[in-house]
Amino acid sequence: MSAARRRLPDEVRSAAVRAFLCFAFTLVALIVASLASYARSGLLTPALLGMALGVFGCAWCLLEIVIARQIAAQRMRGPNSASPLAGSREPRRRRPAVEGRAPSRG
């Protein structure tokens, strides 16, 4: 049996896809830079610049994921909620008291 997983909000999912693409670009730039350094090619400088931009882009995308998750969590909570988790889950239902038994006071 698999546990039911909630689907990520669209903003978070699209930010995660952008982060993955940026990471893939950075890996390609790393491979090109290493091959250009072995070949002593003039392509090394642009590849290193591309790799630096890719690292910056990955950090930006990860920050975007964190912000998008926070915004999605705030939307689920609802406006003017008193507690930080108000509205995030359905309230628990109390079990009905058993008839013929007085509720215990603690």
Side-chain angles (χ1 to χ4, degrees), residues 3 9 20 27 35 44 51 53 56-57 75 89 91 94-95 102:
F20 176 76
L27 283 179
L35 291 176
L44 178 62
M51 195 169 60
L53 286 174
F56 177 75
R75 273 199 203 115
R89 292 186 185 162
R94 296 179 125 184
R95 288 190 288 171

Side-chain angles (χ1 to χ4, degrees), residues 15 21-24 29 43 49 55 61 63 86 89 92 95 98 103:
L21 290 175
C22 192
F23 181 70
L43 194 61
L49 287 173
V55 168
C61 288
L63 185 63
R89 292 186 185 162
R92 281 185 149 175
R95 288 190 288 171
V98 178

Side-chain angles (χ1 to χ4, degrees), residues 7 9 20 23-24 33 40 43 51 60 68 70-71 74 77-78 91 94 100 104:
R7 183 175 159 151
F20 176 76
F23 181 70
R40 299 184 193 270
L43 194 61
M51 195 169 60
W60 186 275
Q70 286 180 346
I71 290 172
Q74 281 180 350
R77 272 186 260 169
R94 296 179 125 184
S104 62

Side-chain angles (χ1 to χ4, degrees), residues 15 19 56-71:
F56 177 75
C58 281
W60 186 275
C61 288
L62 290 176
L63 185 63
E64 182 184 9
I65 290 173
V66 169
I67 292 171
R69 285 180 61 112
Q70 286 180 346
I71 290 172

Side-chain angles (χ1 to χ4, degrees), residues 79-97:
N80 301 325
S81 60
S83 75
L85 295 177
S88 62
R89 292 186 185 162
E90 292 183 20
R92 281 185 149 175
R93 294 182 184 163
R94 296 179 125 184
R95 288 190 288 171

